[in-house]
Amino acid sequence: MRPRASSSSTSTVAVSSQGEERRKGRKARWLTPSQVMLVVAAVDAADGALLASSFPAFESSLGLSPKQLGTLMMLQSAAGSVTLPVWGMLLRATGYKRLLVWAVSSWGASTLLSAWASTFGTQAVLRIVTGAALSCVMPLAQALLAEATAESERGGAVGMFSSIERASGMTVGFFVVAAGPRWRECYYVVAIATLALLGLIHVCLPAQFGQSSETSKGSRPS
């Protein structure tokens, strides 16, 4: 009689096929998670540079006074400071990817609406939304970058992250100032880049990305 090896061989083939499917799924992603975080840094810095660079245009096009411009900046910064603990509390309940999507969606919508807003009150509300959203994105992106990068490569990844962030902010700031009365077009471009970033997050980040440590902690017996 022949030995019963059919069940074990079938299970081996099933496991290998599952592994092959996982590898194909990983290869199908356009960018690695660490590369997505670099794009997040670029778009986040671009949006963060919009307000200060728009001061001359806001003063001439919208008729805002220096006091009102300073108030807009204060509202954006204060909203970010106040909402940081809230984002931290929401992280455990929502997860990294979902929270990142919420934040990027919020700032993208507020950036698009800022291009249409022509009054101080509307701009003030949008600055609050933008400040709250941006305060979440950068710390979250840095944590996810560390999660997605090997320890030996983490220093270089963080350096690249900071370089891209600063280069993006300087570039966008220059173009907004140079655009002058056409400043709204710069806001549209950043809003479109934010929509593209949302697509990358959905396609390239696994659903449970960044949750390995939390899952292991939650699975331990108390």
Side-chain angles (χ1 to χ4, degrees), residues 76 109-111 113-115 117 121-131:
Q76 180 166 313
S110 63
T111 300
L113 293 175
S114 294
T122 306
Q123 287 288 347
V125 173
L126 295 173
R127 289 304 104 198
I128 293 173
V129 175
T130 301

Side-chain angles (χ1 to χ4, degrees), residues 54-65 69 179-184:
S54 304
F55 278 1
F58 282 6
E59 193 170 5
S60 60
S61 300
L62 306 183
L64 301 184
S65 65
L69 296 175
R182 301 176 63 182
W183 60 273
R184 299 177 192 271

Side-chain angles (χ1 to χ4, degrees), residues 144-165:
L144 293 176
L145 180 68
E147 174 77 16
T149 308
E151 187 175 356
S152 59
E153 302 174 355
R154 199 164 293 163
V158 172
M160 180 65 69
F161 186 94
S162 300
S163 297
I164 290 177
E165 177 189 1

Side-chain angles (χ1 to χ4, degrees), residues 3-12:
R4 295 182 179 179
S6 59
S7 60
S8 60
S9 61
T10 304
S11 61
T12 303

Side-chain angles (χ1 to χ4, degrees), residues 17 35 61 182 190 214:
S17 63
Q35 291 171 339
S61 300
R182 301 176 63 182
V190 174
E214 284 294 322

Side-chain angles (χ1 to χ4, degrees), residues 156-205:
V158 172
M160 180 65 69
F161 186 94
S162 300
S163 297
I164 290 177
E165 177 189 1
R166 295 187 180 186
S168 176
M170 289 187 297
T171 302
V172 170
F174 168 78
F175 279 105
V176 173
V177 173
R182 301 176 63 182
W183 60 273
R184 299 177 192 271
E185 298 177 7
C186 298
Y187 278 71
Y188 291 137
V189 170
V190 174
I192 293 172
T194 305
L195 292 177
L197 174 59
L198 276 175
L200 286 178
I201 292 173
H202 280 294
V203 172
C204 300
L205 293 188

Side-chain angles (χ1 to χ4, degrees), residues 9-175:
S9 61
T10 304
S11 61
T12 303
V13 172
V15 170
S16 61
S17 63
Q18 289 175 1
E20 186 66 24
E21 289 177 359
R22 292 193 188 100
R23 286 192 293 271
K24 288 181 180 179
R26 285 196 293 267
K27 291 179 181 179
R29 300 185 190 279
W30 297 345
L31 299 176
T32 64
S34 58
Q35 291 171 339
V36 174
M37 292 307 107
L38 296 181
V39 179
V40 170
V43 182
D44 178 272
D47 200 291
L50 285 177
L51 178 59
S53 305
S54 304
F55 278 1
F58 282 6
E59 193 170 5
S60 60
S61 300
L62 306 183
L64 301 184
S65 65
K67 180 179 178 180
Q68 290 174 320
L69 296 175
T71 301
L72 292 179
M73 181 65 75
M74 182 196 69
L75 289 174
Q76 180 166 313
S77 300
S81 301
V82 170
T83 53
L84 266 174
V86 178
W87 290 120
M89 290 185 290
L90 289 174
L91 180 59
R92 182 181 294 272
T94 61
Y96 282 78
K97 182 177 179 179
R98 184 178 298 178
L99 190 63
L100 186 61
V101 168
W102 286 0
V104 174
S105 301
S106 300
W107 112 50
S110 63
T111 300
L112 183 62
L113 293 175
S114 294
W116 296 334
S118 300
T119 64
F120 170 75
T122 306
Q123 287 288 347
V125 173
L126 295 173
R127 289 304 104 198
I128 293 173
V129 175
T130 301
L134 291 179
S135 69
C136 167
V137 172
M138 194 55 65
L140 193 59
Q142 291 172 344
L144 293 176
L145 180 68
E147 174 77 16
T149 308
E151 187 175 356
S152 59
E153 302 174 355
R154 199 164 293 163
V158 172
M160 180 65 69
F161 186 94
S162 300
S163 297
I164 290 177
E165 177 189 1
R166 295 187 180 186
S168 176
M170 289 187 297
T171 302
V172 170
F174 168 78
F175 279 105

